[in-house]
Amino acid sequence: MPTIVVEVMPKAEILDPQGKAVGNALARLGKNDLTNVRIGKRFEVHVDGPVDDAKLAEVREIAVDVFSNAVIEDVVSVTVDDAEDGVAK
């Protein structure tokens, strides 16, 4: 069963207090080379049947309308996860 992975991130101009807190924690741990942490959301949608361009477009539309708040978030990717190890391609 194919899985479509949707990633949503806060818009660049929106403050990300959760990302800021993680970034500050990394700095306290001495990880000063890891900066500008942003935290988003990942959705996994299982599909009965094949995934084609039309299905990806349909899920992208759903992502914009349902999974994200268009005022403060962007849908940054809609991909098919067909790898055995769970990594989106």
Side-chain angles (χ1 to χ4, degrees):
M1 176 181 307
T3 301
I4 297 176
V5 176
V6 178
E7 295 177 340
V8 176
M9 293 294 292
K11 290 183 181 276
E13 61 272 12
I14 300 296
L15 295 176
D16 181 5
Q18 190 177 15
K20 185 79 163 169
V22 171
N24 290 340
L26 291 172
R28 285 191 303 276
L29 293 171
K31 306 297 182 187
N32 298 318
D33 58 333
L34 304 174
T35 61
N36 297 323
V37 176
R38 309 270 303 158
I39 296 185
K41 301 183 279 190
R42 173 185 166 114
F43 297 86
E44 294 183 359
V45 181
H46 298 279
V47 181
D48 293 330
V51 175
D52 56 12
D53 289 341
K55 183 58 69 180
L56 285 173
E58 177 185 4
V59 172
R60 177 171 281 285
E61 185 176 322
I62 291 167
V64 169
D65 294 342
V66 179
F67 296 162
S68 68
N69 177 342
V71 174
I72 61 170
E73 297 173 316
D74 289 322
V75 175
V76 295
S77 71
V78 177
T79 58
V80 179
D81 179 2
D82 56 5
E84 292 295 324
D85 59 359
V87 177
K89 303 247 176 188

